[in-house]
Amino acid sequence: MTGRHPLLLVEDNPSIARVYLEYLRRGPYDTLHCETGKAALAALAEYNYAAVLLDIELPDMSGMEILKWITQRRLNVAVVVITAHGSINIAVEAMREGASDFLVKPFAPERLFVTLDNALERMNLRRIVDTFDSSVDSDQFCGFVGNSLAMRGVYRIVDIAAQSKAPVFITGESGTGKELAAEAVHLRSPRKDKPFIALNCAAFPKDLIESEVFGHVKGAFTGAVADREGAGSRADGGTLFFDEICEMDIGLQAKLLRFIQTGTFQKVGGTQTQKVDVRFISATNRDPLKEVEAGRFREDLYYRLYVMPLLLPPIREREDDVLLIARRFLAEYSREEGRAFTRFSPETESILLHYAWPGNVRQLQNVVRQIVLLNDGDIVVPSMLPAPLSHIRPSVMPAPMPAPAAPSIVTIAPASNGHSPVAEPATPTSFSLSELERDLIELALEQCGGNVLQAAARLEISPSTLYRKREQFPPHEKPSGRVRELKPLALAESETIRAAIAASGGNISRAAAALGVNPSTLYRKMQSKTLSQP
């Protein structure tokens, strides 16, 4: 973390306070010391502190009262409580009341800095999320429909990219909305009132695409009967979007590279150099690095364009977004075609949720349009679904449960054309993360003779984290005995997630069910641990 942070130290013992102040002088903290709870409350009322280092035992009031005062007023401050060795239960209670972490006396300055840094980082992330949440509608963003964790991450990157002039490189499967994402970056940027010019590099033969990009002068080639402005000229002051950039002819890529580097170009057949101010966005459904390795895409052009990457997730990894999108299309097309459809039946929604959607949103759009055009009624039932969804029927409907459960079993009916469709793989064996966590913690405590500090060190987590996790274990539930080898908690979790994803054939929903977490939680863990699907 950078910059200095205003910190409030609340400690009634002058000699101990001097030690802490000496520690804090070595770090990026501007510290105010208060000896009483009353003085601390007055200081908190007058100034916005980044962190509070709070002793629980004060002469005029309990530190818990100050913590509750902070929590009730929703102050944006990280609170780290200080407790004596025999007061662990009080520290755990403080964390329930909203403290970020706790320190047990005595502690080294290194431990103090790590705890404060972590608490401030968590508070900063929470502030970013809160700010972002308040600026994004619950289920739509610049034409996108969806509120899954994966898409909220996309929305965040779009907003960041929009404020920069740096080139954006969008990747994703066909039908995930790459042009819509490019338009979103443009619309959220200071260039929103200027032109947005989209050029599909796969739509033009290589003899014509140069003219499409740069324009041409009269007589430049057969059929050039007049001067023509290219996409580069028309996008001046705005955004130029190259869709399917990997389809561009290798010969033209050198000219595009110079255009991006200098902002200048010449029309085909012309001699005059033209300079424009353009923001570049590119997209492809291919792996650009593989195209570079195969010699089909220039490496220097790749690095010039691949500055701000934006990966659009397939719809199968977007949790319940498929239903939000399907309902939006149903309402839109029913209105257009004068139909009475108002909703999907639960059975139909189950099928929509469990289908893989290889064509992503574009395929879903076509399916809903077919339903509206070829049927009538107020509820969409499974018999109205076109192939291949018409061959899928849910045998067990999902029931609402407070905890994540395995996905509904889906069976495939014989196809009408005589071919046997491939059945979905079964849900893998349980890889419960909660069981893994409990087993590791109990094994660590057993091997360390009940010493919490040593057990936490073996697991590579803080003692406060160990206490917090242990408090969440069901009181009568015993360890499963699955874990035989003690290893760091994060490492064990990563290995288990990889195993579950592999056993699920890369299907995030089934892997999440086997791990006992929501797909959104698994997606977040994959990002934080830089895991990838096999």
Side-chain angles (χ1 to χ4, degrees):
M1 299 182 69
T2 59
R4 298 190 66 80
H5 309 288
L7 184 145
L8 179 65
L9 170 63
V10 187
E11 170 59 62
D12 64 311
N13 188 310
S15 59
I16 294 177
R18 280 195 295 271
V19 173
Y20 295 163
L21 288 169
E22 183 59 36
Y23 286 171
L24 292 165
R25 285 192 189 99
R26 306 177 200 173
Y29 305 105
D30 296 323
T31 310
L32 174 69
H33 172 220
C34 294
E35 294 187 356
T36 66
K38 183 178 179 180
L41 292 177
L44 286 165
E46 290 179 3
Y47 192 78
N48 295 324
Y49 292 91
V52 176
L53 204 54
L54 177 63
D55 189 12
I56 291 293
E57 301 295 333
L58 298 171
D60 57 340
M61 67 176 68
S62 167
M64 291 295 293
E65 294 180 57
I66 298 175
L67 177 60
K68 291 176 181 177
W69 186 90
I70 291 171
T71 303
Q72 288 169 358
R73 284 159 181 77
R74 299 176 181 266
L75 299 187
N76 195 17
V77 58
V79 180
V80 176
V81 298
I82 304 172
T83 183
H85 184 70
S87 307
I88 297 297
N89 290 336
I90 297 175
V92 172
E93 183 185 348
M95 296 197 66
R96 288 201 194 102
E97 291 292 339
S100 299
D101 211 332
F102 69 87
L103 290 164
V104 179
K105 298 177 184 178
F107 49 82
E110 293 78 13
R111 178 64 185 160
L112 172 63
F113 292 144
V114 168
T115 302
L116 282 173
D117 283 351
N118 289 342
L120 286 168
E121 184 63 29
R122 285 194 296 272
M123 186 60 64
N124 185 49
L125 288 172
R126 188 182 306 164
R127 190 183 302 115
I128 291 172
V129 170
D130 289 345
T131 302
F132 178 57
D133 285 348
S134 64
S135 66
V136 178
D137 188 82
S138 59
D139 65 357
Q140 59 183 333
F141 177 90
C142 290
F144 281 104
V145 176
N147 197 30
S148 62
L149 178 69
M151 289 309 295
R152 295 182 76 80
V154 168
Y155 304 156
R156 177 64 179 160
I157 294 172
V158 165
D159 266 343
I160 293 171
Q163 304 312 310
S164 167
K165 193 188 172 183
V168 179
F169 202 107
I170 305 170
T171 54
E173 298 177 7
S174 292
T176 50
K178 294 185 286 294
E179 183 168 349
L180 191 59
E183 289 179 357
V185 172
H186 175 74
L187 291 172
R188 307 283 283 193
S189 77
R191 298 169 177 261
K192 62 184 179 181
D193 296 324
K194 299 295 184 179
F196 173 85
I197 305 298
L199 187 69
N200 190 324
C201 299
F204 300 95
K206 66 177 184 178
D207 297 333
L208 291 180
I209 192 167
E210 183 177 358
S211 172
E212 289 296 324
V213 176
F214 301 121
H216 61 255
V217 298
K218 181 179 179 180
F221 51 83
T222 304
V225 296
D227 288 359
R228 184 176 185 276
E229 297 295 326
S233 300
R234 300 198 309 274
D236 191 15
T239 302
L240 180 54
F241 172 52
F242 290 106
D243 199 6
E244 305 301 345
I245 185 70
C246 290
E247 304 290 339
M248 181 176 284
D249 180 67
I250 193 75
L252 182 58
Q253 290 178 25
K255 294 182 179 180
L256 178 60
L257 176 64
R258 184 176 183 278
F259 177 29
I260 295 169
Q261 288 174 328
T262 65
T264 63
F265 63 89
Q266 291 180 347
K267 290 183 177 181
V268 177
T271 57
Q272 204 168 23
T273 298
Q274 184 175 346
K275 186 172 181 63
V276 294
D277 173 23
V278 170
R279 202 272 175 84
F280 296 95
I281 302 179
S282 308
T284 182
N285 59 4
R286 299 187 182 185
D287 183 335
L289 275 178
K290 287 185 179 178
E291 296 300 301
V292 170
E293 292 168 3
R296 292 186 293 267
F297 197 71
R298 290 179 62 107
E299 185 175 16
D300 47 5
L301 179 59
Y302 167 77
Y303 287 115
R304 180 64 66 173
L305 291 173
Y306 200 88
V307 178
M308 176 73 74
L310 175 58
L311 172 63
L312 295 181
I315 199 171
R316 61 182 172 274
E317 294 179 8
R318 289 175 53 181
E319 306 163 40
D320 292 345
D321 283 357
V322 63
L323 296 183
L324 293 176
I325 298 168
R327 291 165 187 159
R328 186 66 59 88
F329 285 144
L330 184 66
E332 179 183 338
Y333 295 139
S334 295
R335 187 168 54 252
E336 279 185 15
E337 303 297 335
R339 297 290 200 268
F341 288 115
T342 58
R343 63 186 179 90
F344 297 93
S345 71
E347 295 82 3
T348 307
E349 291 193 342
S350 177
I351 293 171
L352 295 178
L353 275 172
H354 289 89
Y355 182 61
W357 298 108
N360 291 291
V361 177
R362 190 178 296 125
Q363 182 187 9
L364 175 60
Q365 181 179 14
N366 290 341
V367 164
V368 176
R369 187 153 218 167
Q370 285 182 50
I371 291 169
V372 173
L373 286 172
L374 301 176
N375 301 276
D376 207 351
D378 59 342
I379 300 175
V380 178
V381 295
S383 61
M384 297 178 181
L385 295 172
L389 282 82
S390 57
H391 306 313
I392 304 174
R393 63 173 182 268
S395 59
V396 179
M397 291 306 302
M401 296 182 67
S408 301
I409 300 168
V410 175
T411 57
I412 310 294
S416 58
N417 59 8
H419 297 293
S420 297
V422 179
E424 290 280 334
T427 302
T429 308
S430 171
F431 294 87
S432 171
L433 288 180
S434 61
E435 283 186 10
L436 171 73
E437 196 171 78
R438 184 185 185 105
D439 286 3
L440 274 172
I441 288 175
E442 295 300 340
L443 181 61
L445 288 169
E446 180 184 336
Q447 292 188 4
C448 296
N451 187 307
V452 172
L453 295 177
Q454 291 180 15
R458 295 281 298 277
L459 293 168
E460 296 186 8
I461 59 177
S462 69
S464 58
T465 299
L466 190 151
Y467 276 110
R468 185 169 59 247
K469 289 181 178 296
R470 208 172 180 213
E471 281 288 316
Q472 295 170 351
F473 295 155
H476 304 298
E477 187 177 300
K478 295 182 179 180
S480 69
R482 239 182 4 158
V483 176
R484 311 251 172 152
E485 176 190 358
L486 187 60
K487 59 181 67 175
L489 188 59
L491 174 62
E493 188 175 84
S494 293
E495 291 175 351
T496 303
I497 290 173
R498 289 182 190 277
I501 293 174
S504 304
N507 186 295
I508 296 298
S509 295
R510 285 196 295 275
L515 292 162
V517 298
N518 292 319
S520 58
T521 301
L522 176 55
Y523 193 89
R524 185 171 64 251
K525 287 179 179 292
M526 289 169 65
Q527 288 184 318
S528 66
K529 298 175 188 301
T530 62
L531 293 167
S532 60
Q533 295 181 59

